[in-house]
Amino acid sequence: MFDNISITGITSLDKYPNSKCEKYYKQCLDDIMLCIPSEKPEIECINEVNAKICIEDYTVLNTILGPKLFITGKKNIKIIYTADNCQQSLHSAHWSIPFCEFVLLKDLSYEECKDIIESIFIGLENICVRHFEKNIIDISLLFIICPKLYNFSYCQECKNYCNNNLNKYYHDIEDKAYRGNANHDFYDSKWNKYHK
């Protein structure tokens, strides 16, 4: 039904970090309802959907289940659509939606986690347009959060697993499931800035 919609923003596999850890990561699937601003014309058809997920900040929480990496950021979404009017003119709409997620750092103590987060990578795996009407779009974003640790001596078992199973997770995913341009962000805690 939506095969003619161009999807951009998917992170290509070659943009993922080589030093990913399969023990500490979080996969997320978010369903989002978007409303076209009232000053814009109604939708006849959607031409393109673009998404980019950005991390703004993070902190490590001490919880009963163990330390949790608590992340805040924004999901930036843009659509280009053909208006339901006589001119069938092209229009765009933008949204910036705050979000929060966490990654459980199991088998680590809270004290160990304070200074070992080097950067956080977010890979956008899929954008799905589920439904749209005249002024409403229902989409889903599938993304993965991958923290990178400075010192893996805190987790020798995890380090050995990653070294012995290089690219096991990402190479099992078929390339054909990915479309569009690559957009990815690193949040570097050392320099307090993003790498794009």
Side-chain angles (χ1 to χ4, degrees):
M1 180 179 179
F2 304 125
D3 291 342
N4 294 328
I5 299 175
S6 174
I7 301 295
T8 60
I10 303 300
T11 309
S12 62
L13 294 181
D14 61 346
K15 300 299 182 182
Y16 283 77
N18 292 328
S19 58
K20 64 186 179 297
C21 180
E22 293 191 13
K23 188 171 185 178
Y24 304 126
Y25 70 91
K26 175 77 172 286
Q27 286 206 297
C28 309
L29 178 62
D30 285 358
D31 295 328
I32 305 169
M33 188 75 72
L34 304 170
C35 295
I36 297 293
S38 57
E39 64 271 15
K40 291 184 177 288
E42 294 181 339
I43 299 171
E44 181 181 86
C45 66
I46 297 175
N47 302 82
E48 180 180 345
V49 178
N50 174 273
K52 185 179 179 67
I53 302 177
C54 301
I55 297 174
E56 294 188 326
D57 200 7
Y58 76 87
T59 186
V60 177
L61 306 178
N62 191 12
T63 77
I64 192 171
L65 296 179
K68 290 179 180 176
L69 181 63
F70 186 76
I71 300 161
T72 59
K74 289 186 178 178
K75 293 172 283 190
N76 299 311
I77 302 168
K78 174 183 177 181
I79 72 160
I80 298 174
Y81 69 95
T82 301
D84 186 13
N85 55 26
C86 295
Q87 298 80 17
Q88 291 190 313
S89 50
L90 283 179
H91 295 264
S92 65
H94 307 254
W95 297 266
S96 186
I97 304 168
F99 76 93
C100 300
E101 284 291 349
F102 74 90
V103 179
L104 177 62
L105 303 174
K106 54 186 176 182
D107 302 329
L108 295 178
S109 69
Y110 175 69
E111 288 71 24
E112 290 172 336
C113 294
K114 289 181 179 178
D115 300 310
I116 64 172
I117 307 299
E118 180 179 345
S119 60
I120 303 172
F121 175 87
I122 287 191
L124 182 56
E125 297 182 322
N126 194 34
I127 303 169
C128 176
V129 179
R130 293 156 48 90
H131 175 76
F132 72 88
E133 298 178 2
K134 295 298 184 181
N135 58 358
I136 294 175
I137 309 104
D138 182 9
I139 71 169
S140 294
L141 301 182
L142 177 65
F143 59 96
I144 187 168
I145 302 173
C146 304
K148 181 181 177 182
L149 307 184
Y150 276 118
N151 188 350
F152 277 97
S153 64
Y154 291 112
C155 183
Q156 188 61 42
E157 178 184 350
C158 178
K159 180 180 179 181
N160 291 338
Y161 181 84
C162 292
N163 288 338
N164 294 328
N165 295 274
L166 295 177
N167 296 322
K168 175 180 179 295
Y169 175 75
Y170 296 111
H171 284 184
D172 286 344
I173 302 174
E174 294 181 351
D175 291 341
K176 67 181 180 181
Y178 295 85
R179 297 183 291 167
N181 300 325
N183 282 314
H184 59 285
D185 279 307
F186 280 103
Y187 182 84
D188 192 325
S189 60
K190 181 177 181 181
W191 303 105
N192 193 30
K193 66 179 182 180
Y194 296 99
H195 300 287
K196 299 183 178 179

